[in-house]
């Protein structure tokens, strides 16, 4: 079969590599992709939001399976666009429709869903300009810090955590007045949950699911979790505290009720669900849903999947996931992100990358890279994800960090403390 993966990050390189391991796959395309996906597969220069061109390519090339990496095209309705046209009747699609994608695209929608299906999450208040006074009263009754979340997609920047009440009120007012554009016309004020974060992932067909390996992401730019939030600077899987009782609670209190809710709401959901969780004294709470895989979590999840991922994706897309199993490698996988100087602010690009040919013990997933006349250059904030498998976390980390030292570009930056807290 022919597969098209949409996206251009480390996540898409990792998903593509796993898909390409399947005997069912004859040809794999990535749009728009990066240097790594162009070397391993074939890049198509089409943006993930250009539905017309994506559709044309699918028809011309006879694509059988479409896997959508990032959230934006899902929230914009790429599934609806394709499903509303008979020419795509035979296309298998991984990713929910626009209505279901609101689980990520609208924090308010996600909260209402969690309340309806009794899924543990932080107490909240939905603030709008018209109820600003009430909103500040709700906040006054919370213990600081105060968590303010823009309702809509804000490129991962829409959450503000503020200790001072007056500053939080001012911040709320600014958000309601367009700080994040239309995304913050509504703002959720949330109770602060004090615990350790981790993420769980499933593939669902809207009725059943298979559980993928869990992961922990390191979101801050600086060591010891300091400095601004990034897309993620490294990740590990498995997560040592995600076992026994906690894992069981995540399944019983979060994952099963979520998939049941999706089924009861008759959502058109065939794809990945990412559960952003926080472990508060052994109890799981949902911080957010994402309707796609995480990045860099995917770069530690994919290497641990032993089963044929394409078989599972086909079953999910056809609504046949019931009784499907997945085999997971018991090894530990770690990934370290190499980033450009300046990230997550404005960052340098166009630096030549060297040393990739010396890597044998790790998998190098490309993110912000481009190929120019046979040479590889940086082109994004997060440049490469260096993933390694090991019998123990120490072994995996040692391999990743040894590989990291062999790869060079001007001012490469990475965190040296990934996994050290576990
Ligand atoms: P989100 O975009 O919803 O994932 O939020 C971004 C980050 O803010 C999360 O990864 C958490 O670190 C933090 N966060 C979000 N909601 C809460 C909460 N209710 N309590 C504590 N931290 C939170
Ligand atoms: N690493 C977090 C995310 O993909 O949303």
């Amino acid at each position: 079969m022919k597969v098209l993966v949409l996206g251009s990050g480390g996540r898409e390189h990792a998903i593509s590599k796993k898909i390409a391991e399947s005997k069912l796959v004859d040809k794999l395309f990535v749009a728009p992709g990066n240097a790594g996906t162009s070397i391993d597969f074939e890049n198509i220069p089409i943006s993930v939001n250009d539905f017309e061109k994506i559709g044309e390519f699918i028809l011309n090339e006879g694509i059988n399976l479409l896997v959508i990496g990032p959230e934006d095209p899902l929230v914009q309705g790429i599934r609806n666009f394709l499903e509303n046209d008979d020419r795509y009747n035979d296309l298998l699609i991984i990713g929910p429709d626009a209505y279901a994608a609101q689980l990520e695209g609208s924090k308010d929608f996600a909260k209402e869903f969690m309340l309806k299906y009794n899924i543990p999450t932080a107490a909240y208040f939905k603030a709008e300009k018209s109820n600003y006074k009430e909103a500040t009263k709700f906040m006054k009754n919370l213990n600081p810090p105060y968590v303010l979340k823009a309702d809509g997609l804000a490129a991962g920047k829409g959450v503000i955590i503020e200790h001072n009440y007056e500053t939080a009120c001012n911040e709320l007012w600014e958000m309601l007045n367009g700080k994040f554009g239309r995304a913050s016309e509504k703002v959720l004020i949330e109770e602060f949950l004090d615990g350790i974060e981790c993420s769980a992932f499933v593939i669902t067909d809207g009725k059943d699911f298979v559980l993928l390996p869990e992961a922990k992401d390191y979101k801050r730019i600086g060591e010891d979790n300091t400095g601004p939030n990034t897309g993620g600077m490294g990740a590990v899987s498995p997560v040592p505290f995600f076992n026994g009782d906690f894992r069981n609670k995540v399944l019983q209190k979060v994952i099963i009720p979520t998939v049941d809710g999706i089924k009861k709401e008759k959502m058109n959901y065939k794809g990945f669900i990412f559960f952003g969780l926080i472990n508060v004294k052994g109890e799981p709470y949902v911080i957010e849903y994402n309707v796609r895989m995480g990045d860099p979590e995917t770069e530690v999840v994919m290497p641990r999947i032993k089963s044929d991922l394409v078989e599972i994706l086909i079953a999910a897309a056809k609504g046949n996931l019931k009784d499907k199993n997945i085999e997971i490698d018991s090894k530990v996988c770690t990934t370290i992100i190499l980033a450009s100087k300046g990230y997550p602010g404005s960052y340098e690009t166009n630096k030549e990358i060297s040393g990739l040919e010396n890597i044998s013990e790790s998998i190098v997933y490309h993110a912000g890279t481009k190929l120019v006349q046979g040479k590889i250059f940086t082109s994004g904030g997060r440049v490469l994800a260096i993933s390694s498998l090991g019998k123990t976390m120490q072994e995996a980390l040692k391999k990743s960090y040894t590989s990291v030292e062999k790869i060079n570009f001007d001012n490469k930056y990475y965190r040296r403390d990934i996994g050290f807290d576990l």
Side-chain angles (χ1 to χ4, degrees), residues 11 217 219 231-232 274 288 290 292-297 382:
R11 167 181 55 208
D217 169 25
K219 287 199 166 75
F274 166 151
E288 62 170 349
N290 294 312
R292 43 141 183 117
M293 284 299 290
D295 194 349
E297 293 92 330
R382 293 189 292 172

Side-chain angles (χ1 to χ4, degrees), residues 144-217:
Y146 308 99
V147 180
L148 304 176
K149 295 188 177 182
D151 174 57
L153 291 183
K157 298 196 174 103
V159 177
I160 288 174
I161 299 183
E162 175 54 54
H163 286 263
N164 179 282
Y165 174 72
E166 310 294 333
T167 319
C169 289
N170 290 338
E171 194 61 57
L172 173 63
W173 185 245
E174 278 181 28
M175 287 174 86
L176 293 172
N177 284 285
K179 176 163 180 166
F180 298 104
R182 295 205 51 195
S184 63
E185 270 174 4
K186 279 191 266 178
V187 173
L188 301 194
I189 304 170
E190 274 190 19
E191 159 197 28
F192 180 80
L193 297 171
D194 195 5
I196 317 176
E197 284 178 57
C198 64
S199 307
F201 308 92
V202 303
I203 298 172
T204 185
D205 61 359
K207 310 182 298 269
D208 296 287
F209 66 90
V210 293
L211 181 65
L212 300 176
E214 76 284 359
K216 181 165 176 28
D217 169 25

Side-chain angles (χ1 to χ4, degrees), residues 101-164:
Q102 289 180 90
L103 285 171
E104 174 164 1
S106 164
K107 299 216 184 252
D108 180 29
F109 181 92
K111 277 286 192 190
E112 302 255 338
F113 177 89
M114 287 185 247
L115 281 190
K116 184 164 177 187
Y117 292 99
N118 219 356
I119 294 157
T121 187
Y124 78 109
F125 182 90
K126 182 168 72 175
E128 289 171 272
K129 257 187 178 170
S130 56
N131 64 12
Y132 175 72
K133 273 244 157 70
E134 248 180 283
T136 57
K137 275 189 202 146
F138 174 82
M139 202 146 65
K140 186 117 215 173
N141 288 326
L142 293 175
N143 293 321
Y146 308 99
V147 180
L148 304 176
K149 295 188 177 182
D151 174 57
L153 291 183
K157 298 196 174 103
V159 177
I160 288 174
I161 299 183
E162 175 54 54
H163 286 263
N164 179 282

Side-chain angles (χ1 to χ4, degrees), residues 293-361:
M293 284 299 290
D295 194 349
E297 293 92 330
T298 308
E299 291 95 303
V300 292
V301 168
M302 290 299 146
R304 296 190 60 219
I305 298 177
K306 284 180 147 178
S307 308
D308 184 330
L309 179 65
V310 176
E311 271 184 28
I312 296 171
L313 295 178
I314 292 172
K318 289 185 171 170
N320 295 334
L321 260 194
K322 198 171 166 54
D323 303 326
K324 269 270 169 209
N325 289 313
I326 184 163
E327 200 188 340
I328 303 298
D329 195 330
S330 62
K331 287 202 205 75
V332 176
C333 190
T334 59
T335 199
I336 312 297
I337 296 289
L338 296 186
S340 298
K341 186 180 177 192
Y343 178 75
S346 61
Y347 49 79
E348 299 181 345
T349 54
N350 291 317
K351 306 290 182 192
E352 189 175 347
I353 304 172
S354 62
L356 293 172
E357 65 285 0
N358 302 327
I359 307 304
S360 55
E361 287 202 302

